[in-house]
């Protein structure tokens, strides 16, 4: 039996037969009505998505049914708060659109179901929750890989304000990120919780709001009862809140307190929202294969549309007749919009699909302040690099190139393992922290997922990050941050959201008998198949300077994600053929001499 019909019938029967018990609510009636309307709209979109799939006109059936109480957060958050969302966030998006005056969210969603070229978020590439106007960057992953970059964004907000970097967030913005209970167990989620706690422990501003929507199951794998609370309530430096989605008035009160805490204290919050999952994981999921009928029916009894109708009727906010009329009105509107969306054109060529792998940002070129540059290098070196009295090896030339870039572009930040006072394991970043300060050159946790997540998040709030991965083998620990997140952001947002960066990685073999595959790694396979990723790898010092400067240019003007593979065997190497020949020593190439590339055809 189609369980959507059963749930819908239960809902109508309840509205017709329920005798209210007079109670009060703390929230304003108008606000509760708007939230409940978004919940109804979201449910009806779920039904319409399945109907379109049955007609071979739609292509997405992972719904939000049972999670509709997340509409509360869509109502409460400010426009300047970036929101990185779970895939069951239909009601959240509709509520946020209502509050911010965006009128097209129903139609936008239906366009995305139909993979329409007119979909304003992805241009028909995939169904993702996102919207430029609503400050919702689309997420491509369901396994919590968006959490590390959310933490990066929250850290970037405070750092941008300290450095005076222009950004698209307000001084009191918080970063909101939602996910499911099963995702809490993923390494990416644990990395994010750890990084947020680590940052807050040091009293660094970290206004990150984690929303865990706990429906007790991940596809077919059950989450043990009490597991999320046992793991997160006692987590150091992350404030825990809980609410049951079966009562949106109570969710409103607790959520308001949690958001205020995060905003005012600039501290991490973990909000544990109890939800249910209705109709399986997706339309193709046969739920009875792993769930008994008694379990399915128990979830249906807790349908948030039904339980919250009770809340509103008991408080006299709406009558059963009014809720029924609301439902019918929204159902007719969605049916009308669906017929229009399903008639629109879809992407039909590979060129159209690939068009948004990266886009020109039309960024103005930086004008080099020659006097400032000369004064800087006179103080640090005693001469400008291109007038060095002798030729230098690759490590020294890269150090100068990094200084040049950081002088030109105040929004550049350099970070990673050991890059600060130590100057990196090969001394490439030696002295940079003393010169540019701890806010621009700093050590991170010894965790590659954190490093790359931090880079993505900081890039999205206005920085041009230069993260360092200490060895190529270490990149493999965190490759999904590039493949699933950084390199796909432009593609899935049709070029509306970018996260430009240049990832420096010490690469390839170098010392015989030392370090094994962790330090002598030639494996590029994980990089070569990432769509849209730019990979540069110099073989000599002068080329390294030129190519690095070009990498920065492409990141700045095209929003590119660039991986810069530095051959660690050559960092300190002076000789090519025989001892003393000096053929791997070179003069520095000044920035002003670097030609800019014309963007190639895609």
């Amino acid at each position: 039996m189609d369980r959507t019909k059963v749930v819908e019938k239960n809902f109508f029967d309840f509205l017709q037969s329920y005798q209210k018990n007079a109670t009060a609510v703390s929230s304003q009636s108008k606000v509760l009505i708007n939230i409940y309307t978004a919940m109804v709209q979201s449910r009806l979109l779920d039904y319409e998505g399945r109907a379109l799939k049955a007609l071979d006109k739609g292509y997405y059936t992972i719904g939000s049914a049972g999670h509709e109480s997340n509409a509360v957060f869509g109502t409460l958050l400010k426009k300047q708060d970036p929101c990185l969302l779970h895939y069951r966030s239909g009601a959240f998006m509709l509520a946020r659109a209502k509050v911010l005056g965006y009128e097209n969210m129903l139609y936008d969603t239906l366009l995305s179901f139909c993979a329409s070229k007119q979909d304003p978020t992805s241009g028909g590439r995939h169904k993702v929750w996102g919207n430029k106007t609503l400050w919702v960057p689309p997420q491509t992953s369901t396994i919590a890989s968006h959490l590390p970059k959310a933490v990066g964004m929250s850290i970037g907000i405070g750092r941008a304000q300290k450095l005076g970097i222009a950004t698209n967030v307000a001084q009191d913005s918080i970063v909101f990120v939602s996910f499911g209970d099963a995702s809490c167990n993923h390494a990416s989620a644990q990395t994010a919780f750890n990084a947020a706690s680590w940052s807050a422990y040091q009293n660094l501003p970290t206004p990150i709001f984690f929303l865990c929507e706990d429906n007790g199951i991940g596809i077919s794998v059950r989450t043990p009862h009490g597991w999320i609370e046992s793991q997160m309530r006692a987590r150091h430096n992350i404030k825990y809140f809980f609410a049951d989605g079966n009562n949106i008035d109570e969710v409103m009160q607790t959520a308001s307190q949690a958001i205020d805490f995060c905003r005012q204290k600039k501290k991490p919050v973990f909000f544990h929202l109890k939800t249910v999952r209705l109709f399986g994981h997706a339309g193709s999921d046969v739920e009875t294969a792993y769930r008994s009928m008694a379990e399915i029916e128990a979830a249906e009894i807790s349908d948030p549309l039904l339980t919250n109708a009770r809340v509103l009727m008991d408080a006299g906010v709406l009558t059963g007749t009014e809720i029924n009329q609301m439902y019918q009105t929204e159902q007719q509107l969605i049916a009308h919009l669906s017929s229009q969306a399903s008639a629109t054109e879809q992407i039909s060529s590979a060129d159209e699909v690939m068009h948004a792998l990266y886009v020109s940002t039309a960024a103005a070129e930086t004008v080099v302040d020659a006097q400032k540059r000369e004064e800087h290098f006179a103080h640090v070196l005693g001469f400008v690099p291109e007038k060095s009295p002798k030729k230098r090896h690759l490590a020294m030339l890269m150090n100068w190139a990094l200084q040049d870039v950081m002088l030109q572009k105040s929004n550049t930040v350099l970070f990673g393992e050991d890059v600060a006072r130590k100057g990196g394991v090969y001394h490439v970043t030696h002295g940079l922290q003393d010169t540019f300060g701890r806010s621009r050159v700093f050590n991170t946790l010894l965790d590659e997922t954190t490093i790359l997540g931090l880079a993505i998040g900081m890039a999205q709030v206005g920085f041009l990050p230069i993260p360092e991965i200490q060895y190529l083998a270490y990149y493999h620990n965190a490759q999904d941050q590039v493949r699933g997140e950084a390199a796909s952001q432009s593609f899935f947002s049709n070029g509306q959201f970018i996260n430009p960066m240049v990832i420096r990685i010490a690469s390839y073999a170098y010392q015989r008998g030392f370090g094994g595959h962790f330090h002598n790694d030639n494996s590029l396979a994980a990089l070569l198949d990432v769509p849209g990723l730019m990979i540069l790898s110099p073989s000599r010092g002068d080329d390294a300077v030129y190519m690095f400067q070009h990498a920065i240019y492409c990141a700045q003007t095209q929003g590119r994600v660039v991986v810069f593979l530095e051959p660690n065997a050559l960092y300190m190497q002076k000789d090519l053929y025989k001892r003393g020949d000096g053929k791997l020593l070179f003069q520095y190439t000044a920035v002003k001499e670097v030609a800019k590339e014309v963007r190639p055809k895609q």
Side-chain angles (χ1 to χ4, degrees):
M1 180 181 290
D2 184 352
R3 301 309 299 182
T4 64
K5 301 301 182 185
V6 173
V7 168
E8 192 172 44
K9 183 178 184 302
N10 290 343
F11 176 69
F12 287 134
D13 288 348
F14 170 80
L15 293 180
Q16 186 174 10
S17 62
Y18 182 68
Q19 301 296 315
K20 77 172 187 176
N21 299 306
T23 59
V25 290
S26 301
S27 308
Q28 294 180 7
S29 295
K30 183 179 179 180
V31 174
L32 291 175
I33 292 172
N34 286 340
I35 290 171
Y36 193 75
T37 302
M39 296 172 68
V40 168
Q41 290 173 330
S42 178
R43 179 65 60 84
L44 290 169
L45 284 172
D46 285 352
Y47 293 161
E48 190 63 25
R50 291 174 177 240
L52 287 166
K53 182 71 168 70
L55 296 172
D56 201 28
K57 294 182 178 180
Y59 307 93
Y60 192 86
T61 57
I62 295 180
S64 304
H67 286 241
E68 289 91 353
S69 56
N70 59 32
V72 169
F73 300 90
T75 298
L76 291 174
L77 291 165
K78 294 183 179 181
K79 184 176 183 178
Q80 293 82 7
D81 297 331
C83 300
L84 286 66
L85 301 180
H86 184 40
Y87 54 76
R88 301 195 192 278
S89 297
F92 177 101
M93 287 294 290
L94 291 159
R96 185 167 173 85
K98 174 69 174 178
V99 169
L100 300 183
Y102 185 83
E103 299 179 353
N104 299 321
M105 187 49 61
L106 286 173
Y107 188 54
D108 288 356
T109 305
L110 291 161
L111 288 171
S112 71
F113 286 169
C114 299
S116 170
K117 290 172 67 171
Q118 294 181 24
D119 169 19
T121 300
S122 74
R125 289 169 181 80
H126 188 50
K127 164 65 184 69
V128 283
W129 291 119
N131 185 279
K132 184 73 171 179
T133 301
L134 303 181
W135 217 150
V136 181
Q139 309 312 307
T140 61
S141 174
T142 62
I143 55 169
S145 62
H146 59 309
L147 270 65
K149 69 180 180 184
V151 175
M153 291 179 81
S154 73
I155 293 172
I157 289 172
R159 196 148 301 207
Q161 291 165 1
K162 182 177 181 179
L163 293 170
I165 303 300
T167 184
N168 48 4
V169 290
Q171 189 170 3
D172 67 343
S173 289
I174 68 174
V175 179
F176 177 87
V177 59
S178 60
F179 49 95
D181 51 291
S183 292
C184 264
N185 303 303
H186 197 275
S188 295
Q190 294 299 315
T191 286
F193 302 148
N194 185 60
S197 177
W198 186 80
S199 179
Y201 179 76
Q202 300 174 83
N203 292 317
L204 299 173
T206 315
I208 177 78
F209 192 105
F210 297 107
L211 175 66
C212 177
E213 300 179 22
D214 183 2
N215 63 28
I217 194 166
I219 305 184
S220 67
V221 180
R222 288 171 172 79
T223 298
H225 179 71
W227 170 250
I228 299 300
E229 181 178 4
S230 72
Q231 295 299 298
M232 298 306 302
R233 180 180 283 279
R235 190 99 186 202
H236 294 300
N237 307 299
I238 299 179
K239 183 75 170 176
Y240 176 89
F241 293 85
F242 172 82
D244 188 335
N246 280 327
N247 188 321
I248 54 174
D249 180 51
E250 292 182 3
V251 177
M252 277 284 291
Q253 305 314 307
T254 308
S256 296
Q257 296 172 21
I259 290 171
D260 286 346
F261 175 89
C262 186
R263 198 179 303 283
Q264 295 171 13
K265 301 291 186 180
K266 298 187 184 298
K267 297 284 189 181
V269 161
F270 184 95
F271 197 104
H272 184 190
L273 179 66
K274 182 180 178 182
T275 63
V276 295
R277 194 189 74 184
L278 302 176
F279 318 134
H281 175 68
S284 59
D285 181 28
V286 182
E287 196 173 19
T288 52
Y290 55 86
R291 242 177 165 181
S292 70
M293 188 55 63
E295 290 173 312
I296 293 172
E297 290 174 345
E300 292 171 353
I301 291 172
S302 295
D303 174 8
L305 255 62
L306 189 153
T307 60
N308 283 292
R310 179 187 296 119
V311 170
L312 299 184
M313 293 164 69
D314 283 349
V317 175
L318 290 172
T319 66
T321 300
E322 289 170 331
I323 293 174
N324 196 324
Q325 183 58 50
M326 171 201 295
Y327 193 98
Q328 302 298 333
T329 299
E330 298 299 334
Q331 188 175 50
Q332 291 170 16
L333 174 60
I334 287 172
H336 171 68
L337 295 174
S338 179
S339 65
Q340 293 181 330
S342 61
T344 57
E345 186 181 1
Q346 298 173 344
I347 286 178
S348 58
S349 70
D351 286 343
E352 288 179 307
V353 171
M354 294 186 293
H355 173 71
L357 282 175
Y358 64 91
V359 295
S360 174
T361 63
E365 289 194 33
T366 304
V367 177
V368 179
D369 186 328
Q371 182 177 349
K372 179 181 176 182
R373 179 176 183 268
E374 186 170 342
E375 290 173 353
H376 165 82
F377 280 114
H379 174 71
V380 175
L381 304 177
F383 51 83
V384 291
E386 60 272 22
K387 294 182 180 180
S388 171
K390 59 181 181 179
K391 297 179 180 180
R392 307 286 179 160
H393 54 56
L394 188 149
M396 181 66 74
L397 295 174
M398 277 300 303
N399 180 279
W400 295 348
L402 285 164
Q403 292 189 57
D404 246 336
V405 165
M406 297 191 76
L407 277 172
Q408 297 169 57
K409 307 177 195 318
S410 61
N411 66 332
T412 50
V413 282
L414 189 152
F415 51 86
E417 302 172 12
D418 301 308
V419 301
R421 292 187 63 184
K422 179 177 175 62
V425 292
Y426 299 103
H427 308 293
V428 176
T429 60
H430 176 72
L432 296 187
Q433 187 181 72
D434 290 339
T435 301
F436 296 101
R438 295 185 177 186
S439 293
R440 295 188 64 194
V441 181
F442 53 92
N443 288 331
T444 64
L445 284 164
L446 272 65
D447 174 70
E448 287 70 33
T449 299
T450 294
I451 293 170
L452 295 176
L454 182 61
I456 302 170
M458 293 188 76
Q460 288 205 318
V461 295
F463 285 93
L464 181 55
I466 309 173
E468 178 184 296
I469 301 298
Q470 202 165 88
Y471 292 101
L472 181 57
Y474 297 175
Y475 164 79
H476 305 312
N477 300 334
Q479 58 187 306
D480 188 51
Q481 288 299 301
V482 171
R483 180 180 183 85
E485 298 295 339
S488 66
Q489 183 71 91
S490 177
F491 178 77
F492 280 105
S493 67
N494 203 20
Q496 297 172 87
F497 290 93
I498 56 172
N499 37 223
M501 67 186 71
V502 178
I503 306 168
R504 296 179 46 251
I505 308 179
S507 306
Y508 314 127
Y510 71 120
Q511 296 181 24
R512 288 179 294 177
F514 177 79
H517 69 286
F518 282 109
H519 298 87
N520 294 326
D521 191 344
N522 293 325
S523 176
L524 302 180
L527 294 168
L528 295 176
D529 71 342
V530 179
L533 186 66
M534 175 180 280
I535 305 171
L536 301 177
S537 186
S539 61
R540 42 189 276 169
D542 54 348
D543 281 350
V545 173
Y546 178 94
M547 294 169 73
F548 180 72
Q549 292 165 349
H550 181 67
I552 293 293
Y553 173 79
C554 291
Q556 180 187 35
T557 63
Q558 299 174 0
R560 296 300 294 262
V561 177
V562 184
V563 171
F564 193 75
L565 303 173
E566 301 170 9
N568 53 27
L570 301 183
Y571 275 133
M572 307 296 178
Q573 191 68 29
K574 301 176 181 178
D575 307 318
L576 178 59
Y577 298 115
K578 58 183 180 180
R579 186 180 298 274
D581 69 15
K583 292 186 180 296
L584 284 179
L585 298 175
F586 301 93
Q587 288 292 144
Y588 185 81
T589 304
V591 177
K592 63 183 179 181
E593 298 172 10
V594 178
K596 304 302 188 251
E597 175 194 64
V598 176
R599 183 182 179 216
K601 294 181 179 179
Q602 295 184 10

